[in-house]
Every structure is written in structure tokens, then in C-alpha cells.
Amino acid sequence: MLVTGTGETVPAIRPDYPEPLWIQAVNLIRGEIDSGVLKPGMRLPPERELCTQLNISRVTLRKALGKLVDDRVLSSSHGRGWYVSSASVGKEWPNSLESFSETAARMALTASSTVLRAQSAPATLDEAEELSIAPGTPLFHLERIRRLNDVPIAIDATRLPLSLAPDLVDTDFSEASLYERLAAAGVQPARADAIIEARGADAAIAKALGVEVAAPVLMMRQLVLDADDRPLFVSSITYAGDRYRLRTYFSRSRS
Amino acid sequence: MLVTGTGETVPAIRPDYPEPLWIQAVNLIRGEIDSGVLKPGMRLPPERELCTQLNISRVTLRKALGKLVDDRVLSSSHGRGWYVSSASVGKEWPNSLESFSETAARMALTASSTVLRAQSAPATLDEAEELSIAPGTPLFHLERIRRLNDVPIAIDATRLPLSLAPDLVDTDFSEASLYERLAAAGVQPARADAIIEARGADAAIAKALGVEVAAPVLMMRQLVLDADDRPLFVSSITYAGDRYRLRTYFSRSRS
DNA sequence: AAGTGGTCTAGACCACCCC
DNA sequence: GGGTGGTCTAGACCACTTA
């Protein structure tokens, strides 16, 4: 609808907000791309025209376009216009701190878990330092075998202060999503520092994942932080080498 | 100057731009933090007050603040104010991966290379598609064993269109840095898509790295892009599993 | 109720690209 | 020169926090 611009379609943006206008604009443009109306490489209508079509101001539109640049969906060229990014990758990964369940959903697979451990224990000195808490603080240990369509993919060992969400001890994590439960408790992960390495599987890992001992596994240790860079929890995920790939993207400092 | 706000200091922002006002504001606030005038955890003056101090509009100020949020320098809290992020680490990366040379520098080790291959060959169909070029276009193949203090750490296989920097064929890469040469030729990498996986070493890799066959290795394949998302080159790096860790950080999509 | 960030607008001028 | 993105402004109203 954006590209044809016959001029008479209903704007589809409601000023009496359920959501901010610029987010509605983001979703609307994303929709045009996902539905194939806007194809990779195509030029968008000029900003001023989009403004009248969407019935929003140029500042608001540009906030939406900026978000889509961050997500690598669009790019701009000064005197020329806005273009849909050619990368076929573009639609998949905004920039992932994606939970296992979210990944599964995106790939249209069924995620399930076997809980190996789900109990509270006092924080050791090392754990306390890593999480900026007092030693002895109750720490919830959650260890799960993560499966996609029942195939074991990874072992996830997460440790987090019980104070973040005290009801975790009563949760059945063979079905529940940790990130969902945390969200319900008002915990909002924003970033994670990660260290990634390749190792050979030891006996315990080999058994849990159903691979040979010494088979290559990918191990990622994460420290997850909130928007103010306060540590939330640590997580150590071991992936069967031949069953998973991490995807990410890097960028150099923007001006 | 920002925090004391006696009201009589010169704005230090010049409207007759060498740089956009919002970038000047970013640098000015960064400076206050780096110089210790603003310390981690401190609250900034209200936006409207900063506007009059810096003599810029609120929209412009907020663009600067938004950039500083991206860089993890500041964070906001709705009815409360703007705060300097606590993490001292955060100054560098927007979203980055530590490069081989950077790792060497951090560990105070010496980086060196053995060139396995440095020659031009016509692009295959697959390569052409990946790089959005015509099949048969001359492609420069650079394969190196990367060492730290003479210990082999990784094999780096990079393929790039010779047109990017024709003098690459005459360069001695046992010493030279590829990124430096590209920068000299005006090539500016902006982002990279990466896929990371764990594998077992095959015979060639095992020999080059001096590890057992089937030993775990970390393989990272990158597609490096410029600011407009045009593909520049592809790079495939295989690390000996017990000799290297990748460090990165993720962030969750901002709303 | 006062203070503060979050969103939004209408209009202006500049810099770049292409004809 | 005409079209397009990039920057900037002054002012308005809303939502959240704190007292």
C-alpha cells in the first residue's frame, strides 16, 4: 500500500494509541516488507510522502526509519532515498539476545526441556562477585537439557538470585520458559556479555546430549545485565557441535 | 560544568557547525564522564535544563542522549531522570567482537602469521552470489595461520574481490594487517554477519594448528558489509578449541 | 501537585544526488 | 534546479515518579 500510493487507503495508524505512533509505523513498514509488497533493493516513497500517507509528522516517521536501520531492514542514501536492505538475512535477527524458546518459535520448532536440577543454594564467593551480591545470598540453580522436537540440543545451566523471582522454586520448568517467568516478575534482560569456546564433551555432557565423549561442543557463558548494566544472572549453555550454530552480528562504532 | 550549572559557562557548542549539534552534545557529555565530572550512578540535570545550558533544542538533546544509550554510557528512568551507567567497561563497544590483534594486545602477546595462500582466482557461482558480484570476477584468496608468540591459534581464510584493493597481490601478509591495507584503499567495513559453530578438526586443519584430528575447533564464518549493507568480503576463521575464546556481547531489541 | 522523561507536531534550512 | 535525506527548532501534551 505504501508503494502504490493511490492516496485513498486508510492510514492504519491510530493516533489514540495502543502503542506509540512510531512503533506502529515500524510494524506497518515491516509488514509491507514481510508480505512482499516491498522487496529487497526497492526504494521507498519519499519521507514527506510517507508522512502524509501515514498521517504522522516527519520527525516521528524518521524515528521509525531509524529503528528499522538499527534492525538492518532499511538503509538510506543521502540525496537518493530509502532502500529495503538486500540482505536476505535481514528479517531474521535484529540482534539476538534470544531465549531458547524464542529461537524455537522463530524456527517453528517445539521446545521442551528435561530438568536436571532446580533448587536454591547459598552463593559462593565467586558467584557473589560475578553477580554483585552478598556471599550466602540464596541462588537458584536451574539445569536443563533443552530439546527441539525432542532432539537434545544443549545443556543450559543458569544461576540467578532467588530474590529476582521467589516463585521460581515452585515452577515446573519442563514446560515453562524462564524468560517468560522473569518477565512476569518485572525482570527485563537488556544485554549479555558472552564468552564462546569449543570443547570436547566430557562424560556427563556426552550422556545428556547423546553424543560421543570428546565430541566437539560449543560452550557459551553469559552474564546477563539489565538496562542499567546491573548483573541479573549467569548462564552457561553447552551445545552439541553438530546440532547448533550461533548467529550474531557485529558493528563498528556508528558516528 | 553540566552538573554545577552556575549558569554562566560558555555553551561550548557552536551552531555554525563543524559537526552536527547532537554529535557535539554527545562528545561534550562523554567528556564530562571521562573527565570524572559526571561519575557512574550520578543523575544528570533535567533535559530542559540541559537544553538551555547547551543552547540546543530538546529534540536535538534527546538524539544525543539516545546515542549515549546505544553506547551504554547513559540510561533513563521515566519519571526520575538520566543516569550515568555504572559499567566502566562500556566505553568501547556498541556491539563488537574482539579482533585477533586486539586480543594479542590485551594479553601482551606478539601476533604473527604464516601465509598458506595469497592469490587471485575467478569467483565461483556460490562465491559470486554470496558477495553480490558477477561469477568469474577476480577474487583474492588469503589464507593464513595466525599465531600468538609463535603458537598457532587459528586458520584465517578470507576471500575478497580484487577490485577492492588491487595491490593486495603484491603485499607480504606475514607482517601486514589486512584491515589496515583495506582501510588504506578506502574500504570501510561497518558490520558483519557471523555464524559460529563447533566442529572436529579435519586432517588439514589438524596439521596446520598442530592438534589431533577430530579435536574440537571453533569455526566462525563472517560476511563483512559496508555501511549500506553491500557485501565486502567473506572470512572463515577456525580456532583451536583449547587455545581461544570468542568474546562478544548481545543486546535485546530496543522498543 | 510538581518534576521529569516519552511522544508528537509543523515548519525551516542545509547537503547531497541526478538531470 | 528539483528532489531527497539530514539537522534543528519551539512548543505542546501525556505518563511515570516522588512527595
Side-chain angles (χ1 to χ4, degrees):
Chain A
M1 302 306 155
L2 261 43
V3 292
T4 62
T6 59
E8 280 313 318
T9 56
V10 180
I13 287 198
R14 321 181 352 143
D16 51 339
Y17 84 69
E19 282 180 323
L21 300 188
W22 69 269
I23 291 186
Q24 296 183 48
V26 165
N27 293 334
L28 203 153
I29 296 172
R30 274 208 130 96
E32 300 282 296
I33 294 169
D34 290 343
S35 71
V37 181
L38 287 168
K39 296 187 182 64
M42 279 181 64
R43 209 195 76 171
L44 271 66
E47 295 183 358
R48 290 156 180 85
E49 190 175 317
L50 282 172
C51 290
T52 64
Q53 281 187 34
L54 302 179
N55 198 28
I56 58 179
S57 74
R58 191 153 162 241
V59 178
T60 303
L61 173 67
R62 284 179 60 80
K63 175 145 188 170
L65 295 173
K67 167 65 174 163
L68 290 167
V69 169
D70 279 356
D71 291 354
R72 301 159 56 221
V73 173
L74 297 179
S75 62
S76 66
S77 188
H78 200 149
R80 305 199 300 132
W82 287 91
Y83 294 83
V84 180
S85 290
S86 45
S88 51
V89 207
K91 59 182 300 191
E92 286 190 40
W93 302 76
N95 184 1
S96 62
L97 200 193
E98 208 176 37
S99 79
F100 198 81
S101 324
E102 287 166 343
T103 308
R106 189 172 45 74
M107 298 168 118
L109 298 173
T110 307
S112 61
S113 296
T114 303
V115 176
L116 302 177
R117 184 180 180 194
Q119 62 185 183
S120 177
T124 66
L125 276 173
D126 287 344
E127 291 167 341
E129 183 176 355
E130 198 168 16
L131 292 169
S132 299
I133 57 177
T137 305
L139 218 55
F140 185 65
H141 291 242
L142 178 60
E143 288 184 28
R144 293 173 290 177
I145 301 177
R146 311 302 308 260
R147 303 168 193 277
L148 289 178
N149 286 6
D150 288 330
V151 178
I153 302 295
I155 301 175
D156 180 337
T158 298
R159 285 165 295 167
L160 47 89
L162 197 53
S163 55
L164 281 184
D167 63 341
L168 290 182
V169 283
D170 302 322
T171 306
D172 174 14
F173 279 104
S174 60
E175 294 300 330
S177 156
L178 175 60
Y179 273 68
E180 252 178 53
R181 294 305 161 116
L182 289 177
V187 178
Q188 298 187 320
R191 324 177 220 280
D193 282 298
I195 293 177
I196 301 163
E197 61 183 310
R199 288 191 178 182
D202 63 23
I205 291 172
K207 187 181 173 195
L209 293 178
V211 299
E212 301 291 321
V213 172
V217 295
L218 192 66
M219 182 162 172
M220 175 168 74
R221 292 193 297 163
Q222 284 184 310
L223 174 63
V224 179
L225 312 163
D226 70 8
D228 297 326
D229 284 322
R230 283 185 297 251
L232 292 177
F233 58 90
V234 292
S235 180
S236 168
I237 311 181
T238 306
Y239 298 93
D242 53 354
R243 297 181 196 154
Y244 203 79
R245 289 175 178 161
L246 285 173
R247 291 189 64 161
T248 186
Y249 93 102
F250 319 112
S251 58
R252 277 180 130 67
S253 272
R254 284 166 307 195
S255 54
Chain B
M1 304 305 157
L2 262 42
V3 292
T4 62
T6 59
E8 280 313 321
T9 57
V10 180
I13 288 198
R14 320 179 356 141
D16 52 339
Y17 88 67
E19 283 180 324
L21 300 188
W22 69 269
I23 292 185
Q24 295 183 49
V26 165
N27 294 333
L28 202 153
I29 296 172
R30 275 208 130 97
E32 301 282 295
I33 293 169
D34 290 343
S35 70
V37 180
L38 286 168
K39 296 186 184 67
M42 278 181 66
R43 209 195 77 173
L44 271 66
E47 293 182 358
R48 290 155 179 87
E49 190 175 316
L50 282 172
C51 289
T52 64
Q53 281 187 36
L54 302 180
N55 198 28
I56 59 179
S57 75
R58 195 157 158 238
V59 179
T60 304
L61 173 66
R62 282 179 60 79
K63 175 145 189 170
L65 295 173
K67 167 64 174 164
L68 290 166
V69 169
D70 279 358
D71 292 355
R72 308 203 300 164
V73 173
L74 296 180
S75 63
S76 67
S77 186
H78 201 146
R80 306 200 301 130
W82 287 89
Y83 294 84
V84 180
S85 290
S86 41
S88 49
V89 205
K91 59 180 301 190
E92 275 191 46
W93 347 356
N95 187 8
S96 182
L97 193 103
E98 207 171 56
S99 84
F100 198 78
S101 344
E102 284 165 347
T103 306
R106 181 170 56 81
M107 297 173 135
L109 299 173
T110 307
S112 61
S113 296
T114 303
V115 177
L116 301 177
R117 184 181 181 194
Q119 62 184 184
S120 178
T124 66
L125 275 173
D126 287 343
E127 291 167 341
E129 182 174 357
E130 197 170 16
L131 292 170
S132 300
I133 56 176
T137 305
L139 217 56
F140 185 65
H141 291 244
L142 178 60
E143 288 183 28
R144 291 173 291 176
I145 301 177
R146 311 299 306 261
R147 304 169 191 274
L148 291 177
N149 283 11
D150 291 331
V151 177
I153 302 294
I155 301 175
D156 179 337
T158 298
R159 284 164 295 167
L160 46 88
L162 197 53
S163 54
L164 282 184
D167 62 342
L168 289 181
V169 281
D170 302 321
T171 306
D172 173 15
F173 280 104
S174 60
E175 295 299 329
S177 155
L178 176 60
Y179 273 73
E180 259 178 43
R181 292 305 162 117
L182 288 177
V187 178
Q188 297 187 320
R191 324 179 222 279
D193 280 296
I195 295 177
I196 301 164
E197 63 182 311
R199 288 191 177 183
D202 64 22
I205 291 172
K207 186 180 173 196
L209 293 178
V211 298
E212 302 290 322
V213 171
V217 296
L218 192 66
M219 183 160 170
M220 176 169 76
R221 290 188 294 167
Q222 284 184 308
L223 174 63
V224 178
L225 312 163
D226 70 8
D228 296 326
D229 283 323
R230 283 186 297 252
L232 293 176
F233 58 90
V234 292
S235 179
S236 168
I237 312 181
T238 306
Y239 299 93
D242 52 354
R243 297 179 197 159
Y244 203 77
R245 289 173 178 162
L246 289 174
R247 298 177 52 158
T248 185
Y249 102 106
F250 306 108
S251 61
R252 228 174 156 80
S253 275
R254 286 163 312 193
S255 56

